[in-house]
Amino acid sequence: MNEHLSGVFGAQDTLALESVVARIVAETPATDVHTHLFAPPFGELLLYGVDELLTYHYLVAEVMRVASVGYDAFWAMDKQAQADLIWKELFIERAPISEACRGVLASLKSLGLDVSSRNLASFREYFNDIGIESHIENVFRLARIESVVMTNDPFDDAERPIWLDGYKSSTFFHAALRIDPLLLNWPSTCSRLKGWGYETDALLSKTTVEEVRRFLDDWLYRTKALYMAASLSPDFTYPQESASGTLLEQCVLPVARECGIPFAMMIGVERQINPALRLAGDSVCKADIRSVERLCARYPENKFMVTMLARENQHELCVAARKFRNMMPFGCWWFLNTPGFIDEITRMRLELLGLSMTPQHSDSRVLEQVIYKWEHSRAIIGRVLAEKYVDLATTGWTITEAEIRRDVQRLLGGNFWEFVK
């Protein structure tokens, strides 16, 4: 009997090992550690359905490269008209081979729709009378997701009242406290905090620092957030003599440390290089890894989750993670969430960090996106991981199926939960 029939794999079992790894990665439930999804009580903030899939900002940017319609005319259309245009230009007039287009079709196919019909009206009909609770369960089942982490902004006028009315995070939707306005626009945020009953001033007095900490404590308690997070520009530096630097050092990091939660930094987005594209108008630029290293070194008792947007930063990020155990690289963010980059980055991380990272998150804004993003990512993660096990087996080391399951569980959620707890 071959060893692999007993769940033990050696150098002679390459094909069997690759098959088992692919199956385990495909079937292991994952935690999606960063999304822009919302639980049903948030109402219209929860985006779903084919028109939302088609008008996602990735496809808006793509269609405006080829459509003759102007920016203003496009934004003057209602959502269905925008979706019609995108469907016509990117799916009918051209083969939908981009990852964003393929993702729409992969999600619809997984839901049981016949994409070969090219019948957008029938796809809309499918979603018209769908029950959202059962639909969420079905989407999570198809994506093999056990839970997602939302992005929760206490400064968002549409979201804030729902938390104040007593919403509690559910088993399937966890919270993450997004604090971009606090760090990036203190004058405006100071006025808002003062209006909400916090004694703040523009000069960041001792009282203001205490009040900002109280605000963060209040919202971490209210949301039960797993981490705090901010999206930072490529020119983010640490240390810096600014309101942002003071708030980070004297408020955000002490509160995160006391609560035992990470501060997640998503670094590298260049905002609104083309404002006419609105949400689709952001770009990317290389950031300075030294600021991340300085933070990790100066605050060893703090935990930092870090993802960077530029491909050029990925090797530096891996090397930095080797030096600081209080830093967790996570996901292939935004413009890097395409098959070629996922393969490259996953391979690099496994080779430099082993299993001590979180390879992927979906960053989904539309519910059904988690289906294709995880389907496509799992296929790549499984393939790269299988190659590494085969390389390991050639040394004479044997691998068991139980060990593979253990490792995959860590990659798809276990490492994250250990890091945030």
Side-chain angles (χ1 to χ4, degrees):
M1 177 182 294
N2 292 334
E3 284 187 325
H4 69 79
L5 296 179
S6 301
V8 181
F9 301 90
Q12 73 280 10
D13 301 315
T14 297
L15 294 178
L17 182 55
E18 291 173 346
S19 176
V20 167
V21 173
R23 172 170 54 82
I24 291 173
V25 172
E27 68 188 17
T28 300
T31 299
D32 198 337
V33 306
H34 170 62
T35 76
H36 295 271
L37 303 180
F38 288 91
F42 288 89
E44 293 185 357
L45 291 176
L46 171 57
L47 304 179
Y48 67 96
V50 70
D51 286 336
E52 295 292 353
L53 286 170
L54 288 171
T55 56
Y56 183 52
H57 64 86
Y58 284 18
L59 286 94
V60 169
E62 191 174 337
V63 79
M64 295 310 292
R65 289 183 53 79
V66 298
S68 59
V69 64
Y71 294 121
D72 290 341
F74 178 82
W75 295 119
M77 299 176 181
D78 62 28
K79 189 175 293 292
Q80 182 168 316
Q82 292 174 353
D84 287 339
L85 175 68
I86 291 170
W87 181 255
K88 173 181 176 292
E89 293 286 353
L90 300 184
F91 291 79
I92 304 302
E93 298 295 331
R94 297 161 181 82
I97 62 173
S98 73
E99 180 65 3
C101 288
R102 182 172 76 109
V104 172
L105 301 178
S107 296
L108 296 177
K109 178 185 176 183
S110 291
L111 290 167
L113 299 173
D114 178 13
V115 298
S116 70
S117 72
R118 307 189 180 194
N119 189 338
L120 182 55
S122 70
F123 305 154
R124 285 184 174 130
E125 185 177 350
Y126 171 85
F127 289 101
N128 281 343
D129 299 314
I130 206 162
I132 189 59
E133 296 282 358
S134 61
H135 182 51
I136 289 171
E137 291 181 10
N138 188 38
V139 167
F140 280 22
R141 178 185 61 81
L142 292 170
R144 294 174 299 286
I145 297 296
E146 56 186 7
S147 63
V148 303
V149 182
M150 304 182 288
T151 295
N152 302 107
D153 184 354
F155 301 97
D156 187 311
D157 290 333
E159 181 179 351
R160 177 182 171 84
I162 297 165
W163 289 105
L164 295 178
D165 286 344
Y167 171 79
K168 306 295 182 184
S169 290
S170 71
T171 303
F172 302 114
F173 291 87
H174 306 286
L177 192 65
R178 190 70 174 257
I179 55 172
D180 297 39
L182 180 68
L183 292 178
L184 305 180
N185 190 1
W186 173 243
S188 174
T189 300
C190 175
S191 297
R192 297 194 74 184
L193 291 178
K194 192 168 185 178
W196 295 337
Y198 297 92
E199 297 180 25
T200 56
D201 61 61
L203 299 179
L204 290 171
S205 64
K206 180 180 178 181
T207 297
T208 296
V209 167
E210 292 173 350
E211 287 292 87
V212 171
R213 289 187 185 185
R214 181 167 72 90
F215 166 78
L216 293 173
D217 281 330
D218 287 348
W219 277 90
L220 288 172
Y221 177 79
R222 179 174 287 117
T223 62
K224 302 297 185 291
L226 298 179
Y227 57 83
M228 286 190 281
S231 179
L232 304 169
S233 69
D235 59 3
F236 166 73
T237 58
Y238 175 82
Q240 60 175 279
E241 295 183 4
S242 65
S244 178
T246 299
L247 289 160
L248 178 63
E249 287 200 285
Q250 297 187 25
C251 302
V252 174
L253 295 182
V255 170
R257 188 165 57 246
E258 291 164 7
C259 293
I261 64 171
F263 174 51
M265 297 183 289
M266 295 168 280
I267 308 172
V269 57
E270 192 75 65
R271 296 291 183 189
Q272 292 295 281
I273 67 160
N274 184 356
L277 279 172
R278 300 190 183 180
L279 191 59
D282 298 340
S283 189
V284 56
C285 190
K286 187 178 183 296
D288 185 356
I289 192 66
R290 292 173 297 179
S291 293
V292 175
E293 294 169 335
R294 292 182 191 122
L295 278 167
C296 290
R298 184 162 182 175
Y299 297 100
E301 301 304 314
N302 274 93
K303 297 181 287 187
F304 298 93
M305 294 169 56
V306 184
T307 193
M308 303 183 81
L309 191 54
R311 179 192 188 191
E312 293 79 4
N313 281 128
Q314 301 311 310
H315 180 240
E316 298 170 332
L317 181 60
C318 280
V319 173
R322 287 174 59 87
K323 311 306 172 185
F324 297 103
R325 63 187 297 176
N326 59 332
M327 192 256 276
M328 170 74 75
F330 73 100
C332 299
W333 181 34
W334 204 335
F335 304 119
L336 296 175
N337 203 335
T338 58
F341 288 137
I342 296 169
D343 183 286
E344 174 184 312
I345 294 167
T346 302
R347 191 178 303 277
M348 184 188 304
R349 288 174 177 171
L350 288 173
E351 291 171 353
L352 284 171
L353 301 174
L355 299 163
S356 62
M357 48 88 179
T358 298
Q360 193 55 295
H361 66 269
S362 76
D363 203 26
S364 296
R365 288 182 180 270
V366 182
L367 176 63
E368 296 82 13
Q369 288 174 338
V370 297
I371 300 174
Y372 91 81
K373 290 194 176 188
W374 277 101
E375 177 185 293
H376 295 180
S377 291
R378 284 177 192 269
I380 298 164
I381 293 168
R383 182 172 63 249
V384 175
L385 187 60
E387 288 181 20
K388 298 309 167 189
Y389 283 126
V390 169
D391 291 344
L392 183 59
T394 62
T395 70
W397 188 271
T398 57
I399 304 102
T400 69
E401 183 167 338
E403 289 169 337
I404 296 168
R405 290 189 179 278
R406 173 202 63 194
D407 294 346
V408 172
Q409 190 278 329
R410 283 176 172 162
L411 289 172
L412 298 187
N415 287 337
F416 168 74
W417 285 110
E418 184 176 344
F419 196 71
V420 301
K421 295 301 186 184

